[in-house]
Amino acid sequence: MLPSFITWDVSPTIIDSFITVRWYGLMFAIGFWIGFNLVSKMFKHEGVPERWVGILLIYVGVATIVGSRLGHVFFYQWDYYSAHPWKILATWEGGLASHGGAIGIIVAVILFSIFTTKRNPLWTFDRLTIVIALVGCLIRIGNLMNSEIFGYPTDLPWGFKFVRSAEWNQLYYGLACHPTQLYEAMCYLALFGIMMWMYWKKNCGERPGLLFGVFLTGTFGSRFLIEFIKNDQVAFEATMTYNMGQLLSIPFVLLGVALIVTALLRKRQEISYPDRWADEKMTKTNKR
C-alpha cells in the first residue's frame, strides 16, 4: 500500500565543516562536467577545433550565473534590490531565475559565434541546448535537496512534506505538496533523451534551429504548465492570472515553434562527420 505522503527531511548540506558542500552546488558542478564532455564529443564528431569547447564553457558558465542572478533581481525582486544594490552580489543567499539564465546564455552564444566560431549562432544553440536540458534536470534535483520551489498542497500519494522548509512550515504545515522540482526534472530528462536521439540517430543537427526550437518549446512549455500548481515565488504573483514564470515562458515557446517550423521548411544541410579534432593550422590557412 502506497503512503499518503512522503516526508522530505533531507539536509541540503553534504559537508558542513571547514568547507561547506551543498547538494545544489554539487548538482550544478556535475551538470557542467557532464555537459563539457558531451559538447566535446559532439564538437569532435563534427571536426571542429578542440579549443572551442573550453572557450564555450567559460562563456556559458559566466552567462548562466550572471544571467540567472540578474533575472531574479529584475524579474522578481527589483523593489528590494533597487533599495539594497549591494545585495545583488550575495548569491549565497539564494535567488536565481532560469529565464534570466536563458537570456544570458543566448547573449553568450551570440558573442561566442561572433568572436570564435564565425558561424551562425544556431549551430552552437542546437548542440549546447541538448546539454542544458540535462543540466536543468540536475539543478531541479538540487532545488529538491534544498526543499525549495515546491507546489501547492495535494492529496496525491507522492505529495511531499518539506519539513525543513521555513516557507512550507509557515504556509502549509501538515499538508503534502506537489514536488514540482521532480516534475520539471523528469520533463527535462525526457527532453534530453529525445534531443540526444535526434542528434545522434537522426542527424537533426543538419537542420539549423530544429534542436534549439525543440528545446525552447519543451523546456518552457512544460514550465508554463507546471507553474499552474507551483507555489508563488514572490508575493506580487498572488494577484496575477498567469505568474511571472508563465509570462516569461510564452516568448520562448513562440520562438521555439517558429524555429521548428522554419527548420523543417528549409533544405537539410549535409554535414561531414570526421570524428576528430580539426587541425588548427589547417583551419587558419583555409580562412585566409
Side-chain angles (χ1 to χ4, degrees), residues 92-134:
W92 56 88
E93 295 180 358
L96 299 174
S98 59
H99 295 90
I103 294 171
I105 291 172
I106 289 173
V107 173
V109 169
I110 292 173
L111 293 176
F112 174 73
S113 301
I114 293 173
F115 295 112
T116 303
T117 71
K118 315 297 183 184
R119 297 186 179 192
N120 187 324
L122 289 178
W123 181 86
T124 304
F125 280 126
D126 282 338
R127 288 137 188 87
L128 181 62
T129 49
I130 298 174
V131 170
I132 293 176
L134 178 62

Side-chain angles (χ1 to χ4, degrees), residues 22-54:
R22 298 173 66 90
W23 282 107
Y24 185 90
L26 179 63
M27 293 295 104
F28 212 98
I30 290 174
F32 268 87
W33 180 77
I34 295 176
F36 177 84
N37 285 280
L38 288 177
V39 169
S40 295
K41 187 175 181 180
M42 286 186 281
F43 279 21
K44 184 178 180 180
H45 182 57
E46 297 188 34
V48 302
E50 186 175 7
R51 67 183 181 87
W52 287 9
V53 183

